Amino acid sequence: MELLVLGLVAGIGFASYALWHKARKDEGDAVEAERKRLMPPGSEDRSPTTLQIGDVVQHLGSDFLVEGVVTLSEDGRGARLYRLFEDGGERFLYAKSGGADPLLLAPATVAVEGDPPELLAHAGASYRQSARVQASAIRVGQLGARKHADRVRVYEYAGPGPQRLLLVDWGDRVESFAGERILASALEILPAR
């Protein structure tokens, strides 16, 4: 008899705990759903590789508006070249998938004839080719007065410290950009509304 009462009390206690735990979980899910509902669409997932046109990127006191993007993809790997605009003119953000730190770049003049070499000199510094990829290019938004092809070759060059060069071969011409690698954590992204 005592075992029967003990089993009954234990069963009621376990059932009460299970119901209480489920109610707490449902309450937490409701709070999380409300938080997501109040956030701007897509803002919870913004990173240098998921920027959208109209977003604002802040870096070291400068606010850059994302005006256009070229998505480069080949064999599951990808990168994005964003055209940014601020009062000082246009800049570019090159972000590769996989969590690598992005490059903040400005248009540059680098004389290249034929295939880009392994070593380049620019602004008194020496740069070594660190990556090369041929990719499909998909354009969205305003990219300036540039005419673009559907297939491109992208060459990355590493210089002293964080200095970087990026060459984009559109088939009929090569565009060059100079800048530096920056920490992704140093960027603040304000999603467009």
Side-chain angles (χ1 to χ4, degrees):
M1 177 75 167
E2 294 162 349
L3 286 176
L4 184 60
V5 171
L6 181 62
L8 184 60
V9 170
I12 291 171
F14 179 75
S16 296
Y17 172 76
L19 290 172
W20 174 81
H21 184 67
K22 183 181 180 330
R24 295 281 294 164
K25 182 179 180 297
D26 291 345
E27 182 181 301
D29 290 346
V31 169
E32 180 66 17
E34 182 67 11
R35 184 185 69 79
K36 284 185 178 179
R37 187 184 70 77
L38 294 174
M39 290 179 73
S43 65
E44 65 276 354
D45 294 327
R46 288 295 203 277
S47 73
T49 57
T50 61
L51 290 173
Q52 296 178 8
I53 294 173
D55 287 353
V56 174
V57 178
Q58 295 179 329
H59 182 257
L60 299 179
S62 295
D63 295 338
F64 301 99
L65 175 66
V66 178
E67 289 192 334
V69 60
V70 177
T71 302
L72 306 165
S73 64
E74 190 66 31
D75 297 332
R77 296 182 310 268
R80 287 181 155 202
L81 181 63
Y82 298 96
R83 180 178 184 249
L84 309 175
F85 189 79
E86 67 161 342
D87 292 338
E90 72 177 356
R91 299 287 294 268
F92 291 84
L93 184 72
Y94 182 69
K96 295 194 305 190
S97 60
D101 287 331
L103 308 180
L104 186 59
L105 307 161
T109 302
V110 178
V112 176
E113 294 181 23
D115 285 338
E118 287 292 317
L119 294 173
L120 273 178
H122 175 70
S126 179
Y127 293 82
R128 177 176 297 281
Q129 192 177 106
S130 58
R132 174 178 57 199
V133 66
Q134 185 168 344
S136 298
I138 301 170
R139 302 163 306 281
V140 178
Q142 298 178 8
L143 297 166
R146 295 166 175 78
K147 293 182 180 176
H148 299 290
D150 292 333
R151 299 285 299 168
V152 298
R153 290 183 293 170
V154 179
Y155 302 88
E156 280 184 67
Y157 288 84
Q163 294 181 20
R164 299 292 184 264
L165 284 178
L166 185 74
L167 303 180
V168 181
D169 183 351
W170 296 99
D172 60 342
R173 75 190 184 307
V174 176
E175 268 188 297
S176 54
F177 306 92
E180 62 185 15
R181 186 185 70 226
I182 59 174
L183 296 174
S185 60
L187 296 175
E188 186 170 344
I189 300 167
L190 305 173
R193 296 206 180 241

